[in-house]
Amino acid sequence: MTERPTLMVPGPVDYHPAVLAEMSRPMVPHYGAAWVKVFIQVQGLLREVLQTDSEPFLYVGSGHLGLDAAFNSLCERGDPVIVLENGHFGERLSQVARSHGAEVLPVRAPWATPISAPAIEAALEAAPRARCVAVVHLETSTGMLNPLADVAALAKRHGKLLVVDAVSSAGLTPLTAQQLGIDVLITASQKGLGAPPGLVVVAVSEVAWDAIAGRQTSVPGWYNNLARWREVATRQRDVQPYFITMAVNNVWALKQSLEMILAEGLTARFERHTEVAAHFRQGLASLGLQVVAPPGYESPGVTAIRCPEGAKAVALRDRLLARTGIMVGTGLGPWRDSTLRVGHMGYNARIDLIEQLLEGLGAILRSAA
Ligand SMILES: *Cc1c(COP(=O)(O)O)cnc(C)c1O
């Protein structure tokens, strides 16, 4: 076993050495012409990777901060919000929305179960005042990819804003944010975007800015207030992008990763993830192991596996780590003991690593039999 495990938890994952090298650059200030130029370049790269025309706001924090920013900025007390819940992170969206005073109208399905279009339609019809529809793209707790295009079409047909948690999907599967009409897109640096943790990305559409501007009450709070980010960014764009000290090295690292993503090509990168995930599922099936996500909904970035009868996730994870030097994740919440979750994202979306995992799992299963 290597001293440090290869990270195949569902984020953070290992990063390309060229990306990590950016973290040790000598310090530069987060203001002045040279920095402004770099920052604007990174925003341009983000637009390409997220496939959006909206300005991506990029600041210090993790994915949750972006969820907080979205609901804090969009929702006033008592605003109805439709949230799709079929996993841990869907439930988390509801918690965050509620914490900002929204009246959450959940559309629920059991974990790893698709939410039917008629159920979403019914929720939309029952709540004409709903502020937005919120959905997790890649539900990291189950490895399921929610059908974003279908949800977007329904939300748009009813004239609703669409809030998407793309924390674990951006950079490894098509987002087509512009085309789908995503109004608030939230992601973070450390998963599919292939850079160390530390930056959150929030891209807001013009329609959503109008909705924020049209609030009865001003957006509460100071740091996590999108209206404020925009106001400052517009006022002092040429001098200092924002009002905080930027984690400049994280931005350099993200820049490097985004450039590498675009050099590989979005299509090629998305295909690589799809192929790696499919290869993994085939191997798991031949070991008699069951993938949690239903057929047709499996995500290219995370695979959740049902532990065999009588085997606990933590024990399996530890044995796999000891055998292969690869660390995978266990389940979340009620699925803690019954599920293993494997992140195959970015630098670690590789067939050879998948082969090592399959071999390790096979050996463990044989020795248990
Ligand atoms: C990881 C993750 C988050 C949380 O992001 P943090 O960066 O840990 O705050 C939110 N949603 C999804 C779908 C995730 O995978």
Side-chain angles (χ1 to χ4, degrees):
M1 185 182 137
T2 50
E3 199 179 316
R4 194 193 63 88
T6 298
L7 276 188
M8 294 184 81
V9 298
V13 291
D14 291 321
Y15 307 114
H16 193 285
V19 171
L20 287 182
E22 296 292 313
M23 294 300 284
S24 57
R25 268 179 183 257
M27 199 47 54
V28 296
H30 58 286
Y31 43 79
W35 178 253
V36 167
K37 190 168 165 230
V38 171
F39 195 77
I40 290 174
Q41 276 174 0
V42 175
Q43 287 183 309
L45 295 166
L46 276 170
R47 281 192 165 105
E48 283 188 61
V49 170
L50 305 177
Q51 300 162 289
T52 181
D53 295 342
S54 302
E55 174 170 357
F57 286 76
L58 155 77
Y59 51 97
V60 183
S62 79
H64 279 100
L65 191 75
L67 305 180
D68 240 346
F71 292 113
N72 184 44
S73 306
L74 274 184
C75 301
E76 295 184 77
R77 199 146 286 280
D79 275 349
V81 165
I82 295 172
V83 181
L84 275 51
E85 284 184 16
N86 58 353
H88 172 86
F89 287 101
E91 292 171 5
R92 179 61 52 79
L93 282 184
S94 291
Q95 287 169 11
V96 176
R98 252 182 231 115
S99 79
H100 291 287
E103 185 206 333
V104 171
L105 308 169
V107 187
R108 293 197 174 107
W111 282 30
T113 307
I115 296 175
S116 77
I120 301 170
E121 186 92 57
L124 281 159
E125 269 160 20
R129 282 183 52 247
R131 202 50 154 148
C132 62
V133 174
V135 62
V136 176
H137 189 198
L138 196 176
E139 180 45 86
T140 316
S141 61
T142 62
M144 181 175 164
L145 198 65
N146 279 313
L148 195 51
D150 299 350
V151 177
L154 285 166
K156 295 293 131 178
R157 179 135 42 83
H158 287 260
K160 295 303 168 201
L161 297 171
L162 179 64
V163 175
V164 178
D165 173 347
V167 173
S168 58
S169 63
L172 54 79
T173 196
L175 262 174
T176 55
Q178 196 66 27
Q179 196 186 321
L180 296 183
I182 299 178
D183 293 293
V184 185
L185 183 155
I186 301 116
T187 190
S189 49
Q190 79 272 18
K191 295 186 185 174
L193 295 183
L199 295 174
V200 61
V201 177
V202 186
V204 185
S205 74
E206 282 310 317
V207 192
W209 285 124
D210 289 346
I212 293 171
R215 289 173 54 120
Q216 306 279 310
T217 57
S218 56
V219 178
W222 202 85
Y223 188 85
N224 217 16
N225 173 337
L226 290 173
R228 191 177 150 69
W229 285 99
R230 187 186 212 199
E231 186 261 316
V232 172
T234 311
R235 175 153 46 80
Q236 58 181 47
R237 194 184 306 276
D238 303 335
V239 201
Q240 173 184 331
Y242 297 146
F243 50 86
I244 56 147
T245 308
M246 185 50 70
V248 289
N249 289 65
N250 290 68
V251 177
W252 286 119
L254 180 61
K255 178 171 184 283
Q256 178 68 36
S257 184
L258 294 170
E259 283 168 352
M260 293 175 76
I261 289 172
L262 293 170
E264 180 178 4
L266 285 184
T267 308
R269 180 172 171 96
F270 298 157
E271 274 170 12
R272 171 162 65 88
H273 284 84
T274 304
E275 278 165 21
V276 163
H279 187 83
F280 194 29
R281 290 195 301 274
Q282 260 172 25
L284 291 169
S286 60
L287 292 175
L289 287 169
Q290 198 194 336
V291 167
V292 167
Y297 293 87
E298 303 101 331
S299 90
V302 179
T303 299
I305 308 160
R306 195 119 17 240
C307 296
E309 202 61 44
K312 281 226 163 153
V314 172
L316 270 179
R317 177 201 62 191
D318 290 348
R319 292 184 68 187
L320 202 54
L321 176 62
R323 272 200 96 89
T324 62
I326 300 174
M327 182 186 281
V328 302
T330 54
L332 287 176
W335 286 16
R336 174 198 295 264
D337 291 335
S338 61
T339 328
L340 283 183
R341 295 178 309 137
V342 179
H344 28 81
M345 303 179 185
Y347 187 58
N348 279 353
R350 287 170 22 200
I351 297 284
D352 62 317
L353 291 175
I354 293 296
E355 288 292 340
Q356 288 174 45
L357 278 178
L358 289 169
E359 199 185 82
L361 281 168
I364 292 167
L365 292 177
R366 279 192 302 278
S367 72

